[in-house]
Amino acid sequence: MFRRLVPAALVTVAAAGLIGVAPAQAATDTLTFTGVTSYGAMTVSNGTSTGSIPGGTGYTGSLTYDAATASSGTFAGGTHSTLRFSDLAMTVGASTTHTGAGVVDVYDNLLSNSSYPVGDSVYVNFTGSVAPSGPLAGADFNWMGLAFLDSTGRAVSAGLLPADLSGPAWTSTFSEFNYGTTGTRWGAGNTSRIQPMTPASGTPAPSVPCAGSDAAVSAVAPRTPGFLVVGSGANLLDHLRTTDLTPASTTFLGGTTTFDQAGLIVAWQGVVAPDGCHLTSLTVSPSVQFATTSLPAATVGAPYVAPVAAQWGVKPYLVSMTGLPSGLSYDGTAISGTPTTAGTFPVTATVTDGVGGTSTATWTLTVAPGAPVTTGPRLEGEGRITRIGDGLSSLTIGTTTVVWNAATAITVNTHDGELAVVDSSVKVGMKAQWSGRRLAGSTVVLLTHLEIG
């Protein structure tokens, strides 16, 4: 538990709302604490340092700080106060170590969108750049910190530390210490675990949960233990520690196989810690992409509908599209309309999801010529060819322009025999007989029969 070794009345609130000291009173205050390493063993064997702290090992410590060094300022809708301490001593099992000097950060009644949890929180961290004196259980001891959190904002009043840091005012109280390579806070062979402290009731205080969903990974911190950063990273709890994840607590969806890649979408659960959210479970899904892989063919003059779908990422989706042939448009869910032009068209679509992720796809849309529509009675005639259309696409027989298709029965009489196609042997001035019907809305006749020569 935590208790003050000097009367609480020695620490007062100054006129400006800062942590102060009553005149002619001692400025120093000492806190003691106890806990147990109930969240698992920490083992180090890195070639220069070997040791192990089993789970269930008890630990005790004391913190002596100087209330006269307090300073304060506004922060995230509340206040941030600091004061210095001269030593943080800790005994784990039969080993004792000392961190030396450091700083206590006191956050009072913070609002949302801050870089620390909403409500009240207190953090104790030493400031030395090298390992503290004294190993723990045979291996180097590099860093430790204490944290006290209350999301209701009632534990801290006017920046003043409460008389009993282990009391029921705190939603969570815990310590964390790093154990491994000398002078390296986070590095190969080091281990760090959050450990619960023992409150006044003698049972571990409950942890503060942290959770989120539908967030994009914006960065992967290049350090050990591993961290993901989601969103802007401005909030402390945007930093997700992945070190304690296991295959059983990690779920990969949509073909993903890793979580350390920017743009992936994650949902998570964990516990609040001084350096962010320590994950207990993580679900990973792909960034936004198109589920549509191709477009069906269309035909001139025929109604057309082709749904376009996006998937993964975070809804809602916004899709834009370019390259559609005339007669077709995109309405937000599907390409639809009646195409008027035959051809092959590259259609490019871009989707943007709810967290700003984008994906682009290009599909080929083929529009086939439509079946001709004829109208009116059957016509027939004969005469000489007066004009041949470009590319043998039509003939003018007398004053009537005629065209044909694959269903037209064609006979071209030449010196070498009969042909069933109109080719370069057909010349202006040759005689021709024909029958057919006019194309709708045109004076051109679509032939059913054509005989030339």
Side-chain angles (χ1 to χ4, degrees):
M1 68 181 66
F2 288 81
R3 66 182 187 277
R4 292 182 182 275
L5 301 185
V6 294
L10 297 183
V11 183
T12 64
V13 182
L18 308 181
I19 299 177
V21 180
Q25 301 278 350
T28 60
D29 201 1
T30 300
L31 304 175
T32 61
F33 57 91
T34 64
V36 61
T37 59
S38 62
Y39 286 177
M42 291 185 289
T43 300
V44 175
S45 180
N46 57 26
T48 61
S49 185
T50 301
S52 179
I53 301 175
T57 301
Y59 64 87
T60 62
S62 64
L63 169 71
T64 300
Y65 69 90
D66 184 357
T69 65
S71 62
S72 181
T74 59
F75 183 84
T79 62
H80 171 208
S81 304
T82 62
L83 59 148
R84 294 195 296 270
F85 65 85
S86 58
D87 188 37
L88 175 61
M90 183 175 183
T91 299
V92 179
S95 303
T96 300
T97 189
H98 296 267
T99 68
V103 173
V104 180
D105 290 283
V106 182
Y107 295 92
D108 183 11
N109 206 27
L110 301 191
L111 304 179
S112 59
N113 300 320
S114 71
S115 55
Y116 288 85
V118 172
D120 296 345
S121 56
V122 175
Y123 304 92
V124 181
N125 292 284
F126 83 97
T127 57
S129 59
V130 298
S133 61
L136 287 177
D140 295 322
F141 173 75
N142 301 311
W143 171 85
M144 79 167 298
L146 311 179
F148 313 86
L149 297 94
D150 173 33
S151 59
T152 68
R154 294 192 292 265
V156 175
S157 177
L160 179 66
L161 289 176
D164 183 5
L165 286 179
S166 66
W170 300 102
T171 311
S172 177
T173 61
F174 55 84
S175 68
E176 184 177 18
F177 41 90
N178 199 49
Y179 181 58
T181 308
T182 301
T184 303
R185 179 172 174 180
W186 310 107
N190 287 357
T191 59
S192 184
R193 293 283 182 89
I194 288 182
Q195 310 293 345
M197 293 178 185
T198 306
S201 63
T203 58
S207 59
V208 177
C210 47
S213 62
D214 290 341
V217 175
S218 55
V220 179
R223 74 188 201 201
T224 302
F227 276 79
L228 300 178
V229 180
V230 295
S232 67
N235 193 302
L236 175 69
L237 298 184
D238 291 340
H239 298 255
L240 313 179
R241 181 174 129 158
T242 60
T243 304
D244 297 325
L245 291 175
T246 67
S249 62
T250 309
T251 302
F252 294 102
L253 303 177
T256 57
T257 58
T258 183
F259 49 68
D260 54 353
Q261 177 180 324
L264 294 175
I265 305 301
V266 291
W268 67 93
Q269 292 182 331
V271 293
V272 174
D275 54 356
C277 180
H278 286 207
L279 298 183
T280 57
S281 69
L282 180 70
T283 299
V284 186
S285 58
S287 56
V288 65
Q289 57 189 248
F290 281 103
T292 301
T293 58
S294 62
L295 297 177
T299 301
V300 170
Y304 180 84
V305 177
V308 175
Q311 61 183 354
W312 302 116
V314 178
K315 295 179 179 179
Y317 305 132
L318 177 63
V319 176
S320 60
M321 200 167 297
T322 60
L324 290 172
S326 58
L328 298 182
S329 61
Y330 177 70
D331 64 3
T333 59
I335 300 170
S336 61
T338 302
T340 61
T341 304
T344 301
F345 302 89
V347 177
T348 299
T350 299
V351 58
T352 302
D353 74 352
V355 293
T358 63
S359 180
T360 299
T362 299
W363 309 298
T364 298
L365 175 55
T366 300
V367 181
V373 179
T374 58
T375 186
R378 180 176 182 275
L379 303 173
E380 59 182 26
E382 62 179 25
R384 293 189 180 276
I385 297 172
T386 56
R387 182 179 180 278
I388 299 175
D390 294 340
L392 297 172
S393 59
S394 64
L395 298 175
T396 301
I397 303 172
T399 59
T400 302
T401 299
V402 299
V403 295
W404 52 93
N405 59 18
T408 305
I410 298 175
T411 301
V412 178
N413 298 302
T414 70
H415 295 295
D416 298 323
E418 293 183 352
L419 300 176
V421 296
V422 176
D423 64 5
S424 59
S425 64
V426 175
K427 307 293 183 183
V428 171
M430 296 179 68
K431 291 183 178 181
Q433 295 179 328
W434 56 267
S435 63
R437 286 185 170 83
R438 294 190 190 280
L439 291 172
S442 172
T443 59
V444 176
V445 176
L446 174 63
L447 299 179
T448 55
H449 294 83
L450 173 65
E451 182 175 357
I452 299 175

